Amino acid sequence: VAALVAILAVVPYATAPLEAEFVVLPPLGKLEPNGHLEATEHLFEGDLIGPEALVVDSTGSIITGLADGRIVKVFSKDDGQVTYETLGRTGEEVEGCGADIELEHICGRPLGLKLSQGGKTLLIADGYKGLLEMDLASREISVLATEVEGGPALTLPNAIEETEDGTIYLTDTSTEVRRNRIFWAAISGKSTGRLLKCRRDGGGKCEGLVTEGLFMPNGIVFDHDRRCLLIAMTILGEVKRYCLEGPDKGVMTTFAKNLPGTLDNIHQFTEPKSGKKGYVVGMGAKYAKPFSLLNALQGFPSLRQWIIGLPVPYELNYKLIPPYGMLGFLDAEGQLVQTLQDPTARTSWLSEGIVVNGSLWMGTWLHPWIARRDFTGTVAEKALAAAFE
């Protein structure tokens, strides 16, 4: 028995595929629950698995990328019925795509999306295939970059922003794990993420490193002045700001901190009543009192490495985290002014939210549906209006 206990204590740690490091996470804050997302519809349940990023084209249709590698467009027909069509795939279509995470490198996993060239093309950050571009007329997909000049190849490309001159900024969440082991990056505490600069004529390579040593950078968006990039840091509960011009050019600062969830994608937001500008960020899981597993384990790198090395199904890594549904709304100064929540977790693991034609649409990296909630004239809209006053 003693020998078995010793083996169980030592072997997972010694054989872990990723070393863990000491990490300091922000303290747990207090979260006042509300039920503003409880009346949410789940559309195309079972058909649209993991619609992580959402972009809106000039017709008001929503384009998203799925866990099975598809890029699809969700739109309303003339009779008002909502439907969808497949625009293409970033990988191969094989049995099990979308259901088996171990097939993602074959099927493709589109994460970040960005309309480009006047809406004629779609930039795609695929977690395995690299930085891609789809011609929305021909629906052909070309590879823009899989390598990085002078550094490790793209490992977990995640989100995209683009300047008016065509420079593409890309978050690479980790240089050590792929998308199908992303929770190992969270547990390890290692800051190997990067912000990269890429161009279409880069010969298959992103041209340079903007900054590195980031702990799981995720969503990215320009501020409303288009001077600075805002980057959602998945585990830290922070939004970082990196300015491309002005007095803070080339400097990484903290725009928002102590947010009550793990962060995913971030979008610009304009409160419809007042016209005040801010941002909405998807929060995949709650990071608030009374308890967070990641927070509790932060000072124990050996234990976290032991967890990584356990010979158990990978899915247990996120199934141990209590699900929660939440979007956070920041004002123009980075202050959290309101959250929309579903404490029942029926609508959980949210990646982002956007308001389109009076409805709040929400993506999820995990669940097999795209979410929609009436917004105009609802309690949720009124709560946001009051928060932005």
Side-chain angles (χ1 to χ4, degrees):
V1 174
L4 179 59
V5 171
I7 291 172
L8 291 176
V10 173
V11 171
Y13 174 85
T15 60
L18 191 66
E19 293 183 358
E21 295 180 352
F22 186 82
V23 63
V24 177
L25 299 181
L28 296 178
K30 187 177 180 181
L31 178 66
E32 294 291 341
N34 63 62
H36 292 319
L37 296 182
E38 291 182 10
T40 296
E41 301 175 85
H42 297 167
L43 304 182
F44 311 114
E45 191 154 3
D47 292 337
L48 304 187
I49 302 173
E52 172 144 345
L54 311 177
V55 295
V56 183
D57 69 12
S58 60
T59 69
S61 300
I62 294 172
I63 300 175
T64 186
L66 305 178
D68 61 9
R70 284 183 294 160
I71 304 293
V72 302
K73 180 166 71 171
V74 178
F75 61 97
S76 295
K77 298 193 293 187
D78 291 340
D79 61 4
Q81 182 180 353
V82 180
T83 187
Y84 74 90
E85 65 170 325
T86 298
L87 303 181
R89 288 181 175 273
T90 60
E92 301 176 34
E93 182 179 4
V94 300
E95 185 177 356
C97 282
D100 187 349
I101 198 171
E102 304 304 331
L103 294 175
E104 282 191 346
H105 67 289
I106 298 172
C107 308
R109 187 27 168 139
L111 299 174
L113 304 177
K114 180 72 177 179
L115 287 169
S116 183
Q117 303 196 64
K120 296 179 181 178
T121 68
L122 180 71
L123 293 170
I124 305 166
D126 186 284
Y128 303 87
K129 308 299 181 180
L131 178 61
L132 315 176
E133 186 169 31
M134 172 185 278
D135 184 307
L136 291 174
S138 68
R139 301 188 177 178
E140 293 182 356
I141 295 178
S142 56
V143 178
L144 299 184
T146 58
E147 303 289 330
V148 178
E149 189 71 41
L154 290 176
T155 308
L156 212 171
N158 202 323
I160 305 167
E161 187 55 284
E162 185 181 21
T163 66
E164 293 179 358
D165 70 358
T167 301
I168 300 164
Y169 288 90
L170 173 70
T171 55
D172 196 22
T173 299
S174 170
T175 58
E176 293 192 333
V177 300
R178 305 308 296 266
R179 217 293 306 188
N180 61 358
R181 294 294 183 270
I182 191 171
F183 277 85
W184 285 356
I187 296 170
S188 76
K190 299 184 76 172
S191 299
T192 67
R194 304 176 288 182
L195 175 63
L196 302 169
K197 183 165 67 172
C198 317
R199 300 192 69 88
R200 287 182 174 81
D201 56 0
K205 293 183 178 181
C206 285
E207 67 179 47
L209 177 71
V210 178
T211 187
E212 60 183 342
L214 304 178
F215 186 24
M216 297 191 70
N218 201 321
I220 184 171
V221 71
F222 266 113
D223 65 8
H224 286 277
D225 294 330
R226 294 188 64 84
R227 292 178 51 251
C228 304
L229 295 166
L230 303 180
I231 306 165
M233 310 298 288
T234 310
I235 304 301
L236 295 177
E238 294 182 348
V239 177
K240 296 292 188 182
R241 176 169 53 198
Y242 184 88
C243 293
L244 304 179
E245 56 182 81
D248 292 330
K249 180 179 179 180
V251 177
M252 183 79 76
T253 57
T254 299
F255 177 71
K257 62 182 180 179
N258 297 331
L259 299 179
T262 58
L263 308 187
D264 206 321
N265 292 332
I266 182 169
H267 279 287
Q268 293 182 0
F269 174 77
T270 301
E271 197 284 306
K273 298 295 185 182
S274 66
K276 291 184 177 179
K277 298 184 183 301
Y279 307 90
V280 55
V281 59
M283 296 185 177
K286 186 170 70 170
Y287 185 85
K289 294 180 179 178
F291 179 77
S292 161
L293 181 61
L294 288 173
N295 184 273
L297 294 176
Q298 63 178 305
F300 304 96
S302 295
L303 178 56
R304 287 186 278 113
Q305 185 167 324
W306 180 81
I307 292 172
I308 292 171
L310 284 174
V312 297
Y314 170 76
E315 289 80 2
L316 283 179
N317 285 275
Y318 60 80
K319 289 182 178 179
L320 290 173
I321 301 174
Y324 201 86
M326 184 159 48
L327 298 174
F329 290 79
L330 311 175
D331 65 16
E333 305 303 319
Q335 296 298 311
L336 180 69
V337 296
Q338 184 60 277
T339 58
L340 303 183
Q341 304 172 41
D342 180 5
T344 72
R346 176 180 167 271
T347 301
S348 60
W349 289 116
L350 295 177
S351 53
E352 65 176 75
I354 54 174
V355 177
V356 184
N357 297 327
S359 294
L360 174 63
W361 290 80
M362 290 160 278
T364 169
W365 65 267
L366 177 64
H367 293 303
W369 38 254
I370 188 169
R372 181 181 67 177
R373 190 216 190 283
D374 290 341
F375 185 72
T376 300
T378 65
V379 173
E381 184 193 43
K382 292 174 183 177
L384 284 176
F388 274 89
E389 282 183 352

